[in-house]
Amino acid sequence: MANISDVAKLSGLSKTTVSRVINNHPYVSDKKREQVLKAMKELGYIPNPSARRLRGQLTTTIGVIVPRIVNPFFAHLINSIEQAASEKGYQVLIGQSYEDKEKEVAFLNLLKTKQVDGIIMTSTENDWNVIESYIEYGPIMLCNDYVNQEIAPMIRLNQAKGAYIGANHLIERGHRKIAYCTGGLFDEQGKGKDRNRGFQKALSEAGIKINPKWIFIDQHTIEDGKHVLRQILEMEDRPTAIFTGSDEVAGGIVIAAKEKGLTIPNDLAVIGFDDQPIAEILDPKLTTIRQPVDLMGEKSIEVMIEMLENPEMEIRNYDLPIELIVRQST
Amino acid sequence: MANISDVAKLSGLSKTTVSRVINNHPYVSDKKREQVLKAMKELGYIPNPSARRLRGQLTTTIGVIVPRIVNPFFAHLINSIEQAASEKGYQVLIGQSYEDKEKEVAFLNLLKTKQVDGIIMTSTENDWNVIESYIEYGPIMLCNDYVNQEIAPMIRLNQAKGAYIGANHLIERGHRKIAYCTGGLFDEQGKGKDRNRGFQKALSEAGIKINPKWIFIDQHTIEDGKHVLRQILEMEDRPTAIFTGSDEVAGGIVIAAKEKGLTIPNDLAVIGFDDQPIAEILDPKLTTIRQPVDLMGEKSIEVMIEMLENPEMEIRNYDLPIELIVRQST
DNA sequence: TTGTAGGCGTTATCAT
DNA sequence: ATGATAACGCCTACAA
């Protein structure tokens, strides 16, 4: 593999001049620039990123942590981030945490050794004080997930509002027996707390008391959704509607409900979250809360690049709109 | 960020000894090893991968090229590759080609500069002679996609057989008017040629003539599938069954068919390819050809690591089983 | 406008 | 068993 010296030799110039051409520095005569370019092409020369990184250069690489790539929501989020990054001349390095603290830390360590310029976290496994300790090595920001702090920018969706409008929609449809399904916990602190709050607010405003039996926590997959439906079927007093924290879980509920002979939305209204492709594939099509994935990707990259170019930048949060998409399941 | 000199200083030893400890070399006394380990922990030391790569080390990183991550088939394939790699202590670097030749070449270039030890290609955009020219920089192998050559190992599925059993299944169900939908072309050379051959073989063995009007090429997405159905509806002479090259396209056909009031499989039988999650979500559930994604990932990593450890390894191909999953759409 | 020299962090070679 | 030193490829003071 040709290196900068080879190019220098072939072009009859010094390494410095070659380097200047590579990096678009001024003070290179057009003639010599031509010579260098020609030699580079002739040798198929590509600057060695390891050497550049070692030298302390920016890497034009941004790391993105997701829980798992097989979750379509995150696959689409990665995609939108990568598209936006690509337009600005940045690469994206994808890391799956598999919801594992150590894997997350391992990825954050890329910052220490300048493998990436900055990191966008779409989920957080470790406590914030752990993550915070990496900020000295490079900018970190949160997109999608968020925590209570003011040290890293966050691209947030108003999850509370999303849950609120979703629950309200069910109430407007006449439901008063509403179940709730979350990927997190149903408490004041844990994952999904904002959605919990929005849900609770809608119900309390309508004078509806929450039935604890109809609260399902830690539900993620299609299989989980099927299981939820089976549990509901075994109840004496059944809900007439269910709000879920993901389209996948909602999908599982819809599929299992049909298998059991229930009609959606007549026997059970179902509302999802994310507006993934599956929402339009299901029959009936899923009413859901849309998360603006493309916007999230664009905004993340915009903010990240600003942090990279201007480290003194003011840290703030960016709230993106969230929207109810009414289809057939409610 | 602490470096090897800091560790050397703190432990009162030389860089060489520290390096020996890091790399598990022999000839280090247990006492000194302890000292070094302690200093490393104290400083939170992490070896700098850029320096190692620059020095010509193996990177324990394997690159994987996929067309796009939002395609669930490839998301799952990446996932299985990463799992297998992780067990062997290898990282995975994901690259999306977006079906673009230049993006693919850009990723292959990582090999030149030792950013990755080897590359697994799940699709190929460039001509083989282009890709072949990168083999001198590190092992390249194909998984899923394949070409006619003997220079790189390939993990193949017998696509011809897959298409053959799929088409045969339709024939056994009594169909004789069978349409065909491919992501490639319907010729002897281009993408998808093996599937084409299998399909043609099944029909010709049953004495069925192929109707060129029922051949749809370059179909990939759910939207494409919907479009195909609309085209079929406008035909005077309609097929009673359709074989598709992907579950996504099949899904689009199913969804659009239901919208138009057709009953599946009575009015139109549909068979997909891949056995993606969508196949079980669709209503009716999709009959499809399963590709053994987990096996593909495991085998790829196994072969790749063998190539890395033994560059003289004999190049051969690995054929994995492909299987018909009968559900409700046929 | 161009070139020389030093150092980024690591490991292999050669001494001791 | 341990250590000094050179080299990987690049960029940037500094010098000319």
Side-chain angles (χ1 to χ4, degrees):
Chain A
M1 182 57 200
N3 61 28
I4 199 171
S5 298
D6 298 331
V7 177
K9 209 171 295 172
L10 182 59
S11 63
L13 295 164
S14 72
K15 291 197 290 176
T16 310
T17 304
V18 176
S19 175
R20 289 209 176 94
V21 171
I22 295 168
N23 297 287
N24 285 312
H25 280 294
Y27 302 119
V28 181
S29 66
D30 289 351
K31 227 174 291 177
K32 313 226 162 178
R33 182 185 309 279
E34 287 308 320
Q35 294 177 41
V36 171
L37 257 19
K38 186 172 159 236
M40 293 200 320
K41 180 164 291 178
E42 203 167 322
L43 293 168
Y45 169 73
I46 297 173
N48 185 317
S50 299
R52 295 180 125 177
R53 289 202 247 269
L54 188 56
R55 191 64 229 293
Q57 289 280 295
L58 285 199
T59 64
T60 61
T61 299
I62 293 169
V64 179
I65 300 183
V66 297
R68 21 177 40 101
I69 225 176
V70 293
N71 179 322
F73 173 73
F74 289 104
H76 280 86
L77 186 50
I78 287 173
N79 195 56
S80 76
I81 291 174
E82 176 153 354
Q83 303 269 14
S86 171
E87 277 175 28
K88 304 286 187 178
Y90 280 77
Q91 326 289 120
V92 164
L93 187 58
I94 301 163
Q96 302 193 61
S97 73
Y98 291 101
E99 289 161 27
D100 180 277
K101 291 188 193 210
E102 289 187 33
K103 288 224 167 63
E104 187 175 85
V105 164
F107 196 81
L108 288 169
N109 276 328
L110 296 179
L111 218 42
K112 285 198 186 181
T113 52
K114 295 215 191 273
Q115 305 302 109
V116 296
D117 294 333
I119 289 186
I120 299 172
M121 306 185 71
T122 68
S123 65
T124 54
E125 301 303 328
N126 288 275
D127 291 337
W128 177 250
N129 58 346
V130 173
I131 296 167
E132 192 179 339
S133 70
Y134 283 86
I135 289 184
E136 60 171 305
Y137 303 109
I140 291 180
M141 62 179 289
L142 269 45
C143 170
N144 180 54
D145 199 355
Y146 52 89
V147 294
N148 281 322
Q149 50 77 19
E150 312 264 321
I151 301 174
M154 302 184 292
I155 309 292
R156 302 185 304 188
L157 303 175
N158 194 330
Q159 303 284 347
K161 185 178 167 199
Y164 179 80
I165 59 180
N168 249 347
H169 170 70
L170 295 173
I171 292 165
E172 278 166 17
R173 287 279 204 260
H175 296 282
R176 300 194 58 86
K177 299 166 76 169
I178 302 174
Y180 182 77
C181 225
T182 170
L185 306 170
F186 197 69
D187 61 23
E188 301 282 312
Q189 295 296 339
K191 265 191 183 176
K193 57 181 184 303
D194 289 348
R195 289 188 191 172
N196 299 345
R197 194 167 355 104
F199 178 75
Q200 285 167 314
K201 182 174 172 219
L203 266 65
S204 98
E205 282 181 7
I208 301 173
K209 241 187 100 184
I210 289 173
N211 182 342
K213 285 185 184 158
W214 296 339
I215 304 296
F216 301 87
I217 63 171
D218 198 23
Q219 308 295 323
H220 300 271
T221 65
I222 291 175
E223 282 311 310
D224 290 340
K226 290 181 180 174
H227 186 62
V228 164
L229 184 100
R230 280 183 229 115
Q231 288 178 264
I232 288 177
L233 276 187
E234 285 169 10
M235 294 177 180
E236 303 240 325
D237 185 21
R238 294 183 198 165
T240 61
I242 182 161
F243 177 98
T244 73
S246 90
D247 286 351
E248 316 234 66
V249 174
I253 291 172
V254 167
I255 292 167
K258 288 196 299 185
E259 283 175 2
K260 297 293 186 182
L262 295 190
T263 306
I264 306 248
N266 294 351
D267 296 326
L268 183 70
V270 182
I271 183 165
F273 214 108
D274 288 348
D275 197 25
Q276 293 179 18
I278 180 183
E280 287 207 286
I281 293 167
L282 287 162
D283 181 16
K285 293 178 182 172
L286 198 61
T287 294
T288 189
I289 315 290
R290 171 177 298 164
Q291 309 225 53
V293 174
D294 288 339
L295 233 53
M296 294 167 74
E298 282 170 33
K299 196 70 194 170
S300 299
I301 288 299
E302 183 189 319
V303 173
M304 174 55 76
I305 290 181
E306 199 178 331
M307 291 174 83
L308 255 17
E309 289 176 352
N310 170 20
E312 304 305 319
M313 177 192 147
E314 177 202 6
I315 303 300
R316 50 167 296 229
N317 301 327
Y318 304 82
D319 292 310
L320 264 32
I322 199 163
E323 177 188 9
L324 176 70
I325 308 292
V326 180
R327 295 204 180 90
Q328 303 159 342
S329 68
T330 54
Chain B
M1 184 56 200
N3 62 27
I4 198 170
S5 297
D6 299 329
V7 178
K9 210 170 295 171
L10 181 60
S11 63
L13 296 163
S14 72
K15 293 196 292 176
T16 308
T17 304
V18 176
S19 176
R20 287 210 177 92
V21 172
I22 296 168
N23 296 288
N24 286 315
H25 279 295
Y27 301 120
V28 181
S29 67
D30 287 352
K31 229 174 290 178
K32 314 230 160 177
R33 183 187 307 281
E34 286 308 318
Q35 295 177 39
V36 170
L37 256 19
K38 189 174 157 235
M40 293 201 320
K41 182 165 290 179
E42 204 168 318
L43 293 168
Y45 168 74
I46 296 173
N48 186 316
S50 300
R52 294 183 125 175
R53 289 202 248 268
L54 187 56
R55 196 62 232 290
Q57 289 281 297
L58 285 200
T59 65
T60 62
T61 299
I62 293 169
V64 179
I65 300 184
V66 298
R68 24 179 37 105
I69 225 176
V70 294
N71 180 324
F73 172 75
F74 289 103
H76 281 86
L77 186 50
I78 287 174
N79 195 56
S80 76
I81 291 175
E82 176 154 354
Q83 304 269 16
S86 172
E87 277 175 28
K88 304 286 188 179
Y90 280 78
Q91 327 287 119
V92 163
L93 186 59
I94 301 162
Q96 301 193 61
S97 73
Y98 292 100
E99 290 159 27
D100 179 279
K101 291 189 190 205
E102 290 187 30
K103 288 225 167 64
E104 187 175 86
V105 165
F107 196 82
L108 287 169
N109 276 327
L110 295 178
L111 218 43
K112 284 197 185 181
T113 52
K114 293 214 193 279
Q115 306 302 108
V116 297
D117 294 334
I119 289 184
I120 299 173
M121 306 185 71
T122 67
S123 66
T124 53
E125 302 303 329
N126 288 277
D127 290 338
W128 177 250
N129 58 349
V130 173
I131 296 167
E132 191 179 340
S133 69
Y134 283 86
I135 288 182
E136 61 171 305
Y137 302 109
I140 291 179
M141 63 178 287
L142 269 43
C143 170
N144 180 53
D145 199 356
Y146 51 87
V147 295
N148 281 323
Q149 48 77 21
E150 312 263 322
I151 302 175
M154 303 184 290
I155 309 292
R156 301 186 305 189
L157 303 175
N158 194 330
Q159 303 284 347
K161 184 176 167 203
Y164 179 80
I165 59 180
N168 249 349
H169 170 70
L170 294 172
I171 292 164
E172 279 166 16
R173 285 281 202 261
H175 295 281
R176 299 191 62 83
K177 298 166 75 169
I178 302 175
Y180 182 77
C181 225
T182 170
L185 304 171
F186 198 71
D187 61 25
E188 301 282 312
Q189 295 296 339
K191 268 193 179 172
K193 57 182 183 303
D194 289 348
R195 289 187 191 172
N196 299 345
R197 195 169 354 103
F199 177 76
Q200 285 167 314
K201 182 174 173 220
L203 265 65
S204 97
E205 282 181 8
I208 301 172
K209 240 186 100 184
I210 288 173
N211 181 339
K213 286 185 184 159
W214 296 338
I215 303 295
F216 301 88
I217 63 171
D218 198 22
Q219 307 294 323
H220 301 270
T221 65
I222 291 176
E223 281 311 311
D224 289 341
K226 291 181 179 176
H227 186 61
V228 165
L229 185 99
R230 281 182 228 117
Q231 288 179 265
I232 288 177
L233 276 187
E234 284 168 11
M235 294 177 179
E236 302 239 327
D237 186 20
R238 296 183 198 166
T240 62
I242 181 160
F243 178 98
T244 73
S246 89
D247 287 351
E248 317 234 64
V249 173
I253 291 171
V254 168
I255 291 167
K258 288 197 299 185
E259 282 175 2
K260 297 292 186 183
L262 295 191
T263 305
I264 308 255
N266 294 351
D267 295 328
L268 184 69
V270 182
I271 184 165
F273 215 109
D274 288 348
D275 197 24
Q276 293 179 19
I278 182 182
E280 288 207 286
I281 293 167
L282 286 163
D283 180 16
K285 294 177 181 174
L286 198 62
T287 294
T288 188
I289 315 291
R290 171 176 296 166
Q291 310 224 50
V293 175
D294 289 339
L295 232 55
M296 293 165 75
E298 281 169 33
K299 197 70 194 169
S300 299
I301 288 299
E302 183 189 319
V303 172
M304 175 54 77
I305 290 180
E306 199 179 331
M307 292 174 83
L308 255 19
E309 289 174 352
N310 171 20
E312 304 305 318
M313 176 194 146
E314 178 202 5
I315 303 299
R316 54 168 290 232
N317 301 329
Y318 305 82
D319 291 309
L320 266 31
I322 199 164
E323 178 186 8
L324 177 69
I325 307 292
V326 180
R327 295 204 181 89
Q328 303 158 343
S329 67
T330 54

